[in-house]
Amino acid sequence: MAAVTALRSSCRAAGRLVCIHRVRSCSSIRFIKSKYVCVFDKSALKFSHQQRLFRTSAASCGQIVQFKLSDIGEGITEVTVKEWYIKEGDSVSQFDSICEVQSDKASVTITSRYDGIIRKLHYNLDEIAYVGKPLVDIEIDASKGVAPEEDVVETPPMSHEEHTHQEIKGHKTLATPAVRRLAMENNIKLSEVVGTGKDNRILKEDILNYLAKQTGAILPPSPKAEIIPPLPKSETLPAAPKDKAHKIPVPVSRPIVFSGKDKTEPITGFHKAMVKTMSAALKIPHLGYCDEIDLTQLVQLREELKPLAQTRGVKLSFMPFFIKAASLGLLQYPILNSSLDESCQNVTYKASHNIGVAMDTEQGLIVPNVKNVQVCSVFEIASELNRLQSLGSAGQLGTNDLTGGTFTLSNIGTIGGTYAKPVILPPEVAIGALGKIQVLPRFNGKGEVFKAQIMNVSWSADHRIIDGATMARFSNLWKSYLENPASMLLDLK
């Protein structure tokens, strides 16, 4: 005991007692347990600082992880960063929105997998981001142990399964971040939901169906579906006289810039998808067929139903009638609602009538589709069209809205024109282009001239499996439903 006392006294006389606490290393430094070191001169202390082996105060450094862009499906390998919802230095939590990216098929919101602080954004706006590559660097609290080793900086890319599954009680549940967020917001355990997607993947519809069974209420497919665009000026002002003859096209108000130099831009987004789709469409031998439709009775019926639809918050156009009539026709001619494999050996008849509607947006031509039209009413189709148009104008259509189509209608009449030569969207086998509605003179059965509401339609079909007679019969049936809207009541389900 006396020896220990003497040693302590000598240490105090010769120098200072420095307490080295356990420190956490930010790089490759090992953890060092707490111990006492007697420093007898300044040179020894200086040497220890030069080696950077120790710190003389307690320190805790977060762990930097690279959040990689996960596989968003549909064979997409690259996307364009359209908007950042965060900036460097911001704090984020799991399922918080990080950015919005746009592929050649849809716009997707990327959500965070971690709680932490954003340290680096790897891309600027409108730059191309690649699947499996770092999107942002996030500093997380390493003491919580939330980051698996494979996510630490400078680790190899994670596999598709690691990006899209959620570990629940040892069971891998496949679901996208958007679906997980929807489940979390409604306190739903994914382990209790039966997935109907590929490899039992849980889709957004599965969450909605599960919620409907539990509560009896169906949520909208996405929070973005609640977006309501501002009403056009024509709807906020008193109704003007319906004189279409004096309607003059208004030029697009864009500043004209003349630089005198050629400009080269990369093809991205929906334009890139159009290049791919139309290149494939050129391999299809197209059959064309045109006819005109007398919509006089349908115009009157729509005018009667418009106020009723508005009281339900839905804008009723002619398109829901065109779509429903097409679905009724497809029940009689299912070959038009089919697909042909690449080897042209097998035809698949589609059970669902997922009818696409071509839309002209600022991002380019997009074709979202109304799912399961065969079991939808005209009002339900109108409601779904309103949702798709709202999301399309905002550039927020999801992959599910833009994929899975089986038949397409393109309404060129909203812009102008009477006839068109539509191009089939593979793997579909038929498409129709609708012209503008014109007031033209026609003769009735008594030879009397009357004012008729005439619309022209142009059909294109895959001539490898569809002949002209089948296309004409389908068109005649579709025409009869529209010229005599009451006849649809006999076949509506």
Side-chain angles (χ1 to χ4, degrees):
M1 186 66 183
V4 174
T5 304
L7 179 60
R8 287 180 177 175
S9 299
S10 63
C11 288
R12 291 192 187 97
R16 295 181 297 124
L17 184 65
V18 179
C19 179
I20 306 298
H21 295 278
R22 175 166 37 184
V23 298
R24 178 177 294 276
S25 170
C26 294
S27 56
S28 61
I29 305 174
R30 299 176 181 175
F31 296 130
I32 300 178
K33 295 182 179 180
S34 298
K35 61 182 180 180
Y36 291 91
V37 178
C38 292
V39 182
F40 294 96
D41 54 38
K42 295 182 178 180
S43 61
L45 182 62
K46 182 178 180 181
F47 176 78
S48 66
H49 280 288
Q50 288 176 343
Q51 296 299 317
R52 307 189 111 176
L53 294 177
F54 311 101
R55 291 185 184 177
T56 57
S57 61
S60 177
C61 185
Q63 188 178 29
I64 302 295
V65 299
Q66 287 185 335
F67 176 60
K68 299 179 178 65
L69 179 61
S70 60
D71 186 355
I72 56 181
E74 299 295 327
I76 296 171
T77 59
E78 62 183 43
V79 295
T80 302
V81 178
K82 302 304 294 184
E83 184 176 1
W84 285 106
Y85 299 122
I86 45 87
K87 61 182 181 296
E88 293 181 0
D90 286 353
S91 297
V92 295
S93 301
Q94 290 189 56
F95 306 112
D96 282 354
S97 297
I98 290 181
C99 65
E100 181 178 340
V101 299
Q102 179 180 302
S103 68
D104 57 356
K105 298 180 183 294
S107 295
V108 179
T109 299
I110 305 299
T111 57
S112 174
R113 296 178 60 200
Y114 310 105
D115 298 331
I117 301 174
I118 301 297
R119 290 306 181 195
K120 181 180 179 181
L121 306 181
H122 284 268
Y123 302 98
N124 296 320
L125 292 179
D126 295 325
E127 286 188 346
I128 303 298
Y130 297 92
V131 170
K133 298 296 182 181
L135 192 62
V136 296
D137 288 354
I138 303 179
E139 180 181 338
I140 63 174
D141 187 352
S143 63
K144 295 182 180 180
V146 294
E149 289 186 6
E150 61 265 25
D151 280 332
V152 179
V153 174
E154 298 181 358
T155 56
M158 290 187 295
S159 67
H160 172 73
E161 289 295 320
E162 290 171 323
H163 278 293
T164 57
H165 82 266
Q166 181 180 9
E167 190 79 22
I168 301 179
K169 296 181 180 180
H171 175 68
K172 288 184 178 181
T173 302
L174 299 179
T176 62
V179 172
R180 294 200 299 268
R181 180 173 59 182
L182 181 61
M184 182 187 67
E185 291 174 350
N186 293 279
N187 298 320
I188 297 176
K189 294 182 180 180
L190 292 182
S191 58
E192 299 177 355
V193 181
V194 178
T196 60
K198 183 179 180 181
D199 298 327
N200 296 322
R201 184 182 302 276
I202 296 177
L203 306 177
K204 196 173 298 183
E205 290 79 4
D206 299 328
I207 298 294
L208 298 176
N209 292 334
Y210 178 87
L211 189 64
K213 293 178 181 178
Q214 298 296 321
T215 64
I218 299 179
L219 292 180
S222 168
K224 294 178 182 178
E226 298 175 359
I227 297 176
I228 301 177
L231 293 175
K233 293 181 179 181
S234 60
E235 295 187 12
T236 58
L237 297 175
K242 298 179 181 179
D243 187 2
K244 296 183 180 180
H246 295 83
K247 197 179 223 180
I248 301 176
V250 180
V252 180
S253 58
R254 293 179 181 174
I256 300 176
V257 179
F258 181 75
S259 61
K261 298 180 180 179
D262 296 341
K263 182 173 67 172
T264 302
E265 294 181 348
I267 299 176
T268 60
F270 295 127
H271 293 286
K272 191 171 185 179
M274 185 184 298
V275 171
K276 181 179 179 180
T277 303
M278 293 300 101
S279 297
L282 284 177
K283 302 177 182 178
I284 300 175
H286 282 56
L287 162 72
Y289 181 82
C290 300
D291 200 358
E292 70 172 33
I293 320 294
D294 184 355
L295 298 181
T296 304
Q297 293 187 35
L298 182 61
V299 170
Q300 297 175 355
L301 177 62
R302 173 178 171 265
E303 288 299 321
E304 296 174 2
L305 296 179
K306 274 179 63 177
L308 179 60
Q310 289 178 351
T311 60
R312 301 185 185 184
V314 173
K315 180 180 179 181
L316 182 63
S317 64
F318 289 104
M319 204 59 174
F321 297 96
F322 300 153
I323 292 175
K324 188 60 183 180
S327 178
L328 294 175
L330 294 176
L331 291 173
Q332 301 295 325
Y333 300 96
I335 188 64
L336 295 173
N337 195 60
S338 65
S339 63
L340 185 65
D341 63 6
E342 294 183 0
S343 60
C344 300
Q345 298 297 318
N346 300 287
V347 177
T348 301
Y349 293 87
K350 304 294 185 178
S352 298
H353 295 174
N354 300 337
I355 299 182
V357 180
M359 292 184 181
D360 179 39
T361 68
E362 294 182 358
Q363 292 79 28
L365 177 66
I366 57 177
V367 189
N369 58 83
V370 181
K371 298 289 193 298
N372 298 310
V373 175
Q374 76 280 2
V375 294
C376 293
S377 66
V378 172
F379 178 79
E380 290 171 335
I381 297 171
S383 178
E384 178 66 3
L385 278 179
N386 285 184
R387 185 185 73 85
L388 294 175
Q389 289 167 347
S390 298
L391 294 179
S393 61
Q396 296 177 346
L397 283 168
T399 304
N400 185 58
D401 296 323
L402 294 168
T403 56
T406 61
F407 187 88
T408 298
L409 292 176
S410 176
N411 189 6
I412 63 168
T414 57
I415 300 175
T418 307
Y419 296 94
K421 186 180 180 181
V423 180
I424 299 170
L425 301 177
E428 299 174 17
V429 296
I431 184 174
L434 313 176
K436 62 182 178 181
I437 300 176
Q438 306 177 87
V439 179
L440 298 174
R442 289 294 184 268
F443 291 96
N444 59 20
K446 299 179 180 180
E448 300 171 341
V449 177
F450 71 99
K451 183 173 67 175
Q453 303 277 352
I454 301 297
M455 180 189 74
N456 295 96
V457 61
S458 305
W459 301 103
S460 289
D462 188 338
H463 210 352
R464 293 174 297 183
I465 58 173
I466 299 174
D467 54 48
T470 301
M471 191 73 254
R473 292 188 180 100
F474 167 82
S475 181
N476 290 338
L477 180 58
W478 180 77
K479 174 180 179 179
S480 68
Y481 285 132
L482 297 179
E483 291 188 339
N484 304 281
S487 64
M488 284 196 290
L489 295 175
L490 298 176
D491 297 320
L492 288 179
K493 296 181 180 180

